[in-house]
Amino acid sequence: MQEAGEYTMKMHPMWQGPLVAPGGNRQSPIDIRVRKSVFDPHLKPLTPDYDPGTCSQIWNNGYSFLVEYDDTTDKSILKGGPLEDNFRLCQFHFHWGESNAWGSEHTVDRRLFPAELHMVHWNSNKYSRFEEAVMEENGLAVIGVFLKIGKRHEGLQKLVDVLPAVRHKDSVVEFTRFDPACLLPANIDDYWTYAGSLTTPPLTEAVTWIIMKQHIEVSHDQLAVFRSLLFTSAEEEVQKSMVNNFRVQQPLRGRTVRSSFT
Ligand SMILES: NS(=O)(=O)c1c(F)c(F)c(S(=O)(=O)CCO)c(N[C@H]2CCc3ccccc32)c1F
Ligand SMILES: [Zn+2]
């Protein structure tokens, strides 16, 4: 019988890390209870300003596939919303399920989505490198966008077409001139925001999460290509499909989720 207060250090097969970071009281992901969120009239519109020229490569790191951006200058930045400083885009990635019934990390009133996009940014006013910001409270800002199955997403197709080239873990290909703004929903003024953490190691409590209320649509076939990726490298005998690469939800611990809309 587990002693009260003892942390359940269950090892989630996916992340090989503790599910609840010891002492963590602002862990992610969470369920967003819409009626418990608090409208904050001081929240500004989000103003992303991305330069497709900073897009550099796409790679499979054995957790997800990442599209990486050159973050050595302030060319692709996120400002506004709940943010006081400039945040530089460093990468975006997705989380998805083995079926369309689940796959997102965050949920809205327990509603699961088949996938979730995360655009990872770091505070370039306060820090000089991502690795520094990742250890600091509010060093990072991650935009979350839910994906639903529907019409084909024309902008996503350029990315889907290159995924077979990064099928195995540690494969990298050059990927340029991709405008990440094409993956944002039409309405980016309506969002929820809360103080949380990375959902993969190092699970640091450094993230201002900005979760879009409006989802984007991708086709069934486009999402099926995500599932053709592998967690395993080409050398490994047993190949494992890259699916269910999401973390289980974490306790809210009294945090308030603010909304930019009523
Ligand atoms: N859901 S999430 O937004 O918390 C998140 C991920 F889910 C995720 F998988 C990754 S990763 O780079 O693929 C794996 C590294 O842990 C990152 N990458 C971040 C975390 C650590 C790190 C270090 C260097 C560059 C990017 C990242 C991430 F921020
Ligand atoms: Zn993520």
Side-chain angles (χ1 to χ4, degrees), residues 93-95 105 116-118 120 142 199-200 209:
H93 63 272
F94 296 81
H95 302 264
E105 294 209 305
E116 186 174 334
L117 159 66
H118 288 158
V120 184
V142 183
T199 68
T200 63
W209 280 95

Side-chain angles (χ1 to χ4, degrees), residues 56-60 65-67 159 162-163 166 171-173 175:
S56 63
Q57 63 181 22
I58 184 168
W59 71 293
N60 175 335
F65 65 89
L66 312 182
V67 177
L159 196 161
V162 79
L163 289 183
V166 290
S171 44
V172 193
V173 292
F175 189 67

Side-chain angles (χ1 to χ4, degrees), residues 12-16 58-68 91 93-96 166-172 200-201 226 229-234 236 239-246:
H12 190 272
M14 198 56 56
W15 304 128
Q16 281 84 42
I58 184 168
W59 71 293
N60 175 335
N61 71 348
Y63 286 102
S64 179
F65 65 89
L66 312 182
V67 177
E68 296 198 315
Q91 55 110 314
H93 63 272
F94 296 81
H95 302 264
W96 60 92
V166 290
R167 190 152 185 260
H168 287 101
K169 179 181 176 193
D170 298 331
S171 44
V172 193
T200 63
F226 284 26
L229 295 176
L230 300 168
F231 280 127
T232 43
S233 56
E236 294 178 65
Q239 299 295 330
K240 291 187 205 119
S241 295
M242 184 180 273
V243 293
N244 301 330
N245 57 353
F246 50 82

Side-chain angles (χ1 to χ4, degrees), residues 78-124:
L78 177 64
K79 288 189 304 185
L83 307 172
E84 298 298 320
D85 295 315
N86 277 3
F87 284 71
R88 245 179 234 173
L89 175 67
C90 70
Q91 55 110 314
F92 69 78
H93 63 272
F94 296 81
H95 302 264
W96 60 92
E98 65 194 277
S99 92
N100 291 335
W102 64 84
S104 61
E105 294 209 305
H106 292 87
T107 50
V108 179
D109 287 342
R110 293 277 165 229
R111 178 183 176 189
L112 289 153
F113 292 83
E116 186 174 334
L117 159 66
H118 288 158
M119 300 170 77
V120 184
H121 310 73
W122 55 273
N123 188 327
S124 58

